[in-house]
Amino acid sequence: MILLLFLTTVILHIVEGTEPAVEISYEEVAARPYTETLYSITCSVTHMPVNSNLWLSMISSAGGYVENFTDESNGGFWFTVRYDSESSLTVVFNAFVPHYEGQYTCMVRENTDDNPLEWSSKSVYLKYTTMPEIQDLIYDDAYTFNYDHRLLFLNDGSALQLQCVASGVPEPKVEWKKKGNDNYVIEGPLLDVPSVTKADSGFYFCEAHNGIGDPVKSTELEVKVLDFFPPKMRYTSEPVITITEDLNRYWGNEMGTKMEILVNGLPPPTVTWWKETEIGRQRIMRESTSTHRFLIYDGFFSYPGTETDHRLIIEAPNQFRLGTYVAKAENSLGVAELNFTINAAETTYTIQR
C-alpha cells in the first residue's frame, strides 16, 4: 500500500507537469585588486513541492568534505545566505578561500520522515582563482627618489638583470616591456641583458596576467646607461684650520670646527672620515662624549654628474682633537682622499685642568 502511494505521487508529478525543476546558476563577482575571484550562486525551483526544503550543497576539492548552505548556516565573514522566496536561494561569497573550491549542487527534499523525495540540479565546479599580484622587483644598485620612480644606473657594457616576482592562481604569465617600444616583449620573469649599451636606456616594467581580471603592471624602473668614473673630490672649506680662540672658550661657547667637501663619481662613492694617529688611521664615527661631539653629514645623491656635499663637524675641539683628518671617497673604480689639518695658535693655547 505504501509503495503504491509513493508511485502514485511520482506519477502525478509527471502527468500533471509539476515535477520540480531545480536550476543552478552563478556569476563571478569582480574581484578587488590582488584578491580572489568571488562568486554569487543562485538556486531556483520551478514547481516547488509543498513542505519541502531548498539548500546549496558543496563537495570540497580539499578533502572531499560536504558543506550545506541554508538559512541556518553561520557564514560570518565568508558568505551570506539569502532566501528570495521559498523556491529561490542565493549564496554570496565575501571571501572565497581555497577549501571552497569544489562541486556545487542545488538540492530540494520533501520535509517528511517517511521516504522523502529528493531532487537536484546539475552540478557546477567553482575554482579558487586570484588576480595576479606583482610582489617585488629585484635588481642591484637602485636609487629610489620618490614613491613611484626608481632609477638604476649602469655602466656601459655591464650586465642588466631584473627579476619580476609575481603570484596568482592560476600562475600568471610574466612579460617584460619597454615604454615607448611596442615590439619589446621579453617573456618570463627574468630580464637579462649581458652587456648594455646606451640604447638600452629607458623605462622598463613587467606585466603579469592569468585570465583573472585585467593584467597588472609593475612600477616603472628607469635604466640609465652611463660612463662610470672614479671619485672626484674638492674642498669647500679651508684644508688648514687654525683655532685662534682659547680652546677652553671654544668649548664653553659650543663653537665647532667644520671640514666640508664636494664629492662626485659613478657609481656614487661612499665617503668615510678618518684621523691620523700614532698607531695608524682610525675611522671617525658619529659620537658624543662629555668633552666633544663628532657630527657627520652625508648629502643626498640626486643625479649622475652632480656633486654631493659631505661634512665632518667637531663640536668643542680640544688638544686631543687637533691633528690631521682624512676624507676618503671610494667606489668600484677607485679611491680619492683629501686631508684637513686642525691646529691651535700657540699664543692662545691653554688647557683647563
Side-chain angles (χ1 to χ4, degrees):
M1 185 65 180
I2 295 175
L3 178 59
L4 180 60
L5 179 60
F6 173 77
L7 292 175
T8 302
T9 303
V10 173
I11 293 171
L12 284 174
H13 278 309
I14 296 174
V15 171
E16 296 175 7
T18 58
E19 176 75 9
V22 186
E23 301 289 338
I24 185 170
S25 62
Y26 71 92
E27 62 176 347
E28 295 181 2
V29 180
R32 300 180 300 275
Y34 315 131
T35 66
E36 71 279 8
T37 301
L38 305 179
Y39 296 96
S40 174
I41 309 169
T42 299
C43 296
S44 58
V45 184
T46 304
H47 305 305
M48 179 74 176
V50 177
N51 194 26
S52 298
N53 296 323
L54 170 64
W55 73 93
L56 176 67
S57 178
M58 181 270 292
I59 302 177
S60 173
S61 62
Y65 75 91
V66 177
E67 183 169 345
N68 293 322
F69 300 86
T70 70
D71 56 353
E72 297 180 354
S73 301
N74 182 16
F77 170 77
W78 307 102
F79 61 86
T80 56
V81 178
R82 183 182 73 245
Y83 278 88
D84 303 306
S85 67
E86 291 184 355
S87 60
S88 180
L89 163 70
T90 300
V91 178
V92 179
F93 282 94
N94 305 312
F96 197 83
V97 290
H99 74 259
Y100 282 133
E101 177 175 332
Q103 182 173 284
Y104 288 79
T105 310
C106 295
M107 305 293 299
V108 175
R109 179 188 294 163
E110 290 183 321
N111 191 18
T112 63
D113 296 329
D114 189 14
N115 297 319
L117 295 177
E118 188 173 279
W119 300 267
S120 63
S121 69
K122 67 177 182 179
S123 298
V124 296
Y125 191 91
L126 300 184
K127 290 185 176 182
Y128 169 76
T129 59
T130 67
M131 291 180 63
E133 177 182 6
I134 296 176
Q135 298 168 311
D136 198 8
L137 295 180
I138 301 175
Y139 46 88
D140 293 328
D141 302 323
Y143 300 92
T144 304
F145 297 107
N146 52 52
Y147 181 77
D148 58 0
H149 183 200
R150 299 177 179 181
L151 184 56
L152 179 65
F153 301 118
L154 293 176
N155 195 12
D156 198 342
S158 63
L160 169 64
Q161 284 195 334
L162 303 174
Q163 182 81 23
C164 181
V165 181
S167 63
V169 181
E171 183 176 353
K173 179 182 178 181
V174 177
E175 296 176 331
W176 279 98
K177 298 184 178 182
K178 188 177 182 182
K179 187 176 180 179
N181 186 350
D182 294 337
N183 296 322
Y184 190 97
V185 178
I186 304 297
E187 294 186 356
L190 178 64
L191 174 61
D192 186 7
V193 183
S195 179
V196 297
T197 66
K198 289 183 172 61
D200 293 308
S201 295
F203 290 85
Y204 293 82
F205 61 92
C206 67
E207 195 172 80
H209 55 93
N210 64 355
I212 310 300
D214 296 326
V216 295
K217 174 182 168 183
S218 72
T219 299
E220 291 180 350
L221 173 67
E222 184 179 4
V223 174
K224 279 190 172 292
V225 180
L226 304 167
D227 294 320
F228 283 16
F229 57 94
K232 299 177 181 179
M233 308 174 71
R234 65 185 180 94
Y235 293 104
T236 53
S237 65
E238 293 296 328
V240 178
I241 303 169
T242 300
I243 300 175
T244 57
E245 299 286 339
D246 185 291
L247 287 180
N248 297 323
R249 272 189 66 225
Y250 220 82
W251 165 252
N253 292 335
E254 298 185 353
M255 300 173 68
T257 298
K258 296 181 181 179
M259 290 163 273
E260 299 178 293
I261 56 173
L262 287 175
V263 178
N264 197 358
L266 201 63
T270 299
V271 176
T272 53
W273 294 87
W274 304 77
K275 187 176 189 298
E276 301 284 6
T277 70
E278 294 179 355
I279 59 174
R281 281 187 180 178
Q282 293 184 342
R283 184 171 175 179
I284 297 173
M285 310 295 289
R286 291 181 177 87
E287 67 176 26
S288 180
T289 71
S290 60
T291 59
H292 69 278
R293 181 165 61 169
F294 285 131
L295 301 176
I296 297 175
Y297 172 81
D298 295 316
F300 180 70
F301 174 76
S302 58
Y303 207 76
T306 61
E307 295 177 306
T308 306
D309 180 26
H310 296 266
R311 301 175 217 160
L312 171 63
I313 302 174
I314 308 177
E315 291 190 352
N318 55 36
Q319 63 171 333
F320 302 108
R321 306 279 76 81
L322 304 179
T324 300
Y325 291 81
V326 180
K328 181 180 178 181
E330 54 187 323
N331 65 11
S332 58
L333 297 182
V335 179
E337 295 183 350
L338 290 178
N339 291 347
F340 288 86
T341 301
I342 302 178
N343 53 44
E346 294 182 2
T347 57
T348 60
Y349 178 42
T350 62
I351 303 177
Q352 184 178 355
R353 299 292 185 180

